[in-house]
């Protein structure tokens, strides 16, 4: 029997992406399909999403969705069913999914994503003719009100099906003032400790975590970490109270997009058997970034430039990195002050440090294929994908021991090196001493050519496809549905 799941997300590749959530939401339908799950993805109708729909069909219309007109359009995403909420007043705007062209959050994000979730709850509850679902899977705070609407305001004629709430990042929770509560269209009893109320205001993610039948995060270590005040960001008590319902399922990578043997973005394609062919990519990368060519280690960083990613600490270690013979190519966007400091560091170390700001998917592929090591000094990392792409491309990850980074990289300690299973370098604590020490260890290992090659090979051979995690999600869905009957 096929299980029908509605996956509700605010971004998904190939249509719209600001971070790893899009990679995961985009990959899930194919990941779970072999395990008897038919997944429909529901997205907001941003301009890029609407434009990508070829001959969409209107399957439903709302005269007023929290005050604005909306339609539901049906299409396809990579061959899988797609539903798009076309609500021009909410989503037809220049800028990104969450903010304007200058990066400022839209002031009405609460209404935009409450409306999106309200619509998803209507769809998931089976009130749209011809579309029935067995389960709803909501991602992050933007979709988190979906389980809450299903619980407190099941639409007429709808059925309350089980739900999964996945936390991709606890740092974004959707907190708003209590004064907005009446506009959400929820009954008064939803304003409660186990409802949407959170410290006297409204908490979107909090409401979803309370209402969902199960909670997942994107790695087992992060699932444990969010039980603590350091990582729980205020929701640790809730997570502990729902302990039996919380689990971690590590993200996979889309091996069709990220395969060094077939990647069209690369100058020189390679496999685990032809690692020497990476050299041509390294030369090309040096040229592209204007770095001095050389045999020494070339570090890369591909990241949002934010506090989460430990970029401030990385900045402190740049002189050390260059001092011991390293070079660095960075691709990032985000905090304007951090971008400026990187440009200043590049001026200070011409030919050794080079920076590209902005978002460039193809360049990120070329960097993974030509860099020697990728630095990921995150303070917290629910899963992290760039270290996985690094592993698949022979670009050795150097990571903070936290969240998904701890779960996916095997540190090159003596036992792991001797056993040939090491895949990268881990360090504990995101501060100057720990990161600069990790960079030194990396440079030392880099010059031990056999050990380095062995790490690259072990990384490429490790299985980070969606096979296992696709099955884990499918098993979870089946369990929740069985429990519900
Ligand atoms: P997060 O979602 O927290 O930003 P992840 O590691 O899960 O972190 O995912 C980041 C995704 O965004 C990866 O696919 C990474 O390659 C990509 N990425 C980040 N910054 C850039 C950039 N400036 N240009 C291109 N891709 C980027
Ligand atoms: C979030 C997290 C990142 C994770 C991604 C996809 O953006 O910051 O660690 O890999 O979601 O789950």
């Amino acid at each position: 029997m096929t299980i029908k799941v509605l996956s509700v997300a605010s971004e998904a590749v190939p249509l719209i992406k600001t971070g790893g959530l899009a990679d995961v939401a985009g990959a899930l339908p194919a990941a779970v399909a072999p395990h008897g799950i038919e997944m429909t993805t529901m997205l907001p109708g941003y301009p890029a999403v609407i434009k990508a729909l070829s001959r969409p069909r209107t399957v439903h219309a709302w005269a007023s969705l929290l005050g604005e007109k909306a339609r539901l359009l049906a299409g396809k995403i990579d061959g899988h069913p797609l539903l798009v909420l076309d609500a021009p007043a909410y989503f037809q705007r220049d800028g990104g999914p969450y903010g304007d062209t200058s990066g400022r959050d839209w002031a009405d994000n609460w209404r935009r994503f409450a409306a999106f979730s309200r619509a998803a709850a209507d769809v998931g509850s089976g009130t749209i003719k011809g579309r029935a679902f067995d389960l709803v899977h909501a991602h992050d705070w933007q979709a988190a009100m979906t389980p809450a609407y299903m619980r407190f305001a099941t639409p007429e004629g709808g059925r309350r099906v089980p739900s999964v709430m996945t936390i991709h990042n606890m740092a974004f929770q959707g907190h708003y003032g209590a004064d907005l509560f009446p506009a959400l269209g929820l009954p008064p009893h939803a304003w409660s400790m186990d409802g949407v109320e959170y410290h006297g205001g409204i908490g979107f993610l909090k409401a979803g975590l309370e209402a969902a039948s199960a909670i997942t995060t994107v790695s087992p270590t992060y699932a444990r970490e969010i039980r603590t005040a350091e990582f729980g960001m205020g929701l640790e008590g809730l997570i502990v109270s729902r302990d039996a319902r919380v689990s971690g399922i590590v993200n996979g990578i889309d091996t069709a997009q990220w395969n060094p043997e077939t990647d069209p973005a690369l100058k020189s394609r390679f496999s685990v058997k032809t690692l020497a062919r990476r050299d041509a990519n390294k030369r090309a990368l040096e040229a592209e970034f204007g770095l001095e060519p050389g045999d020494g280690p070339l570090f890369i960083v591909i990241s949002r430039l934010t506090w989460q990613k430990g970029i401030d600490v990385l900045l402190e270690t740049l002189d050390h990195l260059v001092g011991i013979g390293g070079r660095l190519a960075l691709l990032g966007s985000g905090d304007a002050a951090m971008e400026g400091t990187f440009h200043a560091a590049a001026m200070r170390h011409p030919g050794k440090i080079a920076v590209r700001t902005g978002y460039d998917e193809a360049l990120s592929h070329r960097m993974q294929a030509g860099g020697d090591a990728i630095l990921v000094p995150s303070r917290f990392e629910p899963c992290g994908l760039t270290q996985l792409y690094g592993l698949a491309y022979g670009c050795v990850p150097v990571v903070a021991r936290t969240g998904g980074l701890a779960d996916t990289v095997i540190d090159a300690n003596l036992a792991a090196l001797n056993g040939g299973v090491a895949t990268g370098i881990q360090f504990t604590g995101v501060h100057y001493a720990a990161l600069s020490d990790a960079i030194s260890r990396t440079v030392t290992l880099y010059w031990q050519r056999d050990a380095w090659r062995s790490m690259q090979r072990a990384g490429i051979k490790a299985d980070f496809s969606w096979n296992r995690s696709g099955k884990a999600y499918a098993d979870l869905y089946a369990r929740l549905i069985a429990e519900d009957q």
Side-chain angles (χ1 to χ4, degrees), residues 19-21 24 168-169 218 251 304 308-309 381-385:
L21 165 62
V24 175
H168 295 264
N169 197 331
V218 285
N251 290 333
R304 289 186 288 119
Q308 174 190 344
K309 304 291 181 179
E381 197 60 80
C383 180
L385 295 173

Side-chain angles (χ1 to χ4, degrees), residues 27 62 69 79 114 136 167 241 260 290 327 416 439 445 449 473 477:
W62 286 266
K69 273 202 207 127
V136 171
I167 307 164
S241 78
R327 289 163 298 151
I439 291 170
L445 272 165
R449 299 308 292 159
Y473 278 115
Y477 300 152

Side-chain angles (χ1 to χ4, degrees), residues 133-202:
F133 294 94
D134 302 303
L135 183 140
V136 171
H137 186 166
H139 303 269
D140 274 356
W141 76 268
Q142 296 93 338
M145 288 296 282
T146 309
Y149 279 117
M150 287 165 60
R151 171 177 172 202
F152 291 111
T154 317
E156 235 181 71
R159 189 169 73 88
R160 200 178 142 196
V161 296
S163 54
V164 174
M165 181 75 235
T166 293
I167 307 164
H168 295 264
N169 197 331
M170 201 63 138
F172 304 104
Q173 300 185 356
H175 285 173
Y176 298 103
D179 54 313
L180 301 179
F181 181 74
L184 293 178
L186 284 165
H189 68 274
W191 183 261
S192 58
M193 284 260 286
D194 71 344
V196 303
E197 190 275 332
Y198 184 55
H199 292 309
I202 296 165

Side-chain angles (χ1 to χ4, degrees), residues 175-243:
H175 285 173
Y176 298 103
D179 54 313
L180 301 179
F181 181 74
L184 293 178
L186 284 165
H189 68 274
W191 183 261
S192 58
M193 284 260 286
D194 71 344
V196 303
E197 190 275 332
Y198 184 55
H199 292 309
I202 296 165
F204 277 29
L205 180 62
K206 185 261 178 181
L209 294 174
E210 288 284 8
S213 324
I215 298 168
T216 67
T217 73
V218 285
S219 71
T221 293
Y222 193 62
R224 282 193 301 277
E225 288 172 339
I226 56 172
R227 302 165 51 91
T228 67
E230 189 185 350
F231 295 96
M233 314 251 170
L235 290 174
E236 58 275 9
L238 187 166
I239 295 294
V240 170
S241 78
R242 301 213 62 201
D243 199 29

Side-chain angles (χ1 to χ4, degrees), residues 17-24 168-169 251 258 302-305 308-309 331-333 356-364 368 376 381-387 389:
K17 168 169 169 176
T18 70
L21 165 62
D23 295 83
V24 175
H168 295 264
N169 197 331
N251 290 333
W258 289 94
I302 302 164
S303 186
R304 289 186 288 119
L305 303 180
Q308 174 190 344
K309 304 291 181 179
L331 169 63
S333 63
R356 289 279 179 286
T357 49
Y359 194 90
D360 190 335
E361 188 77 28
L363 177 58
S364 76
Q368 298 278 14
V376 194
E381 197 60 80
C383 180
L385 295 173
T386 61
Q387 84 281 10
Y389 301 145

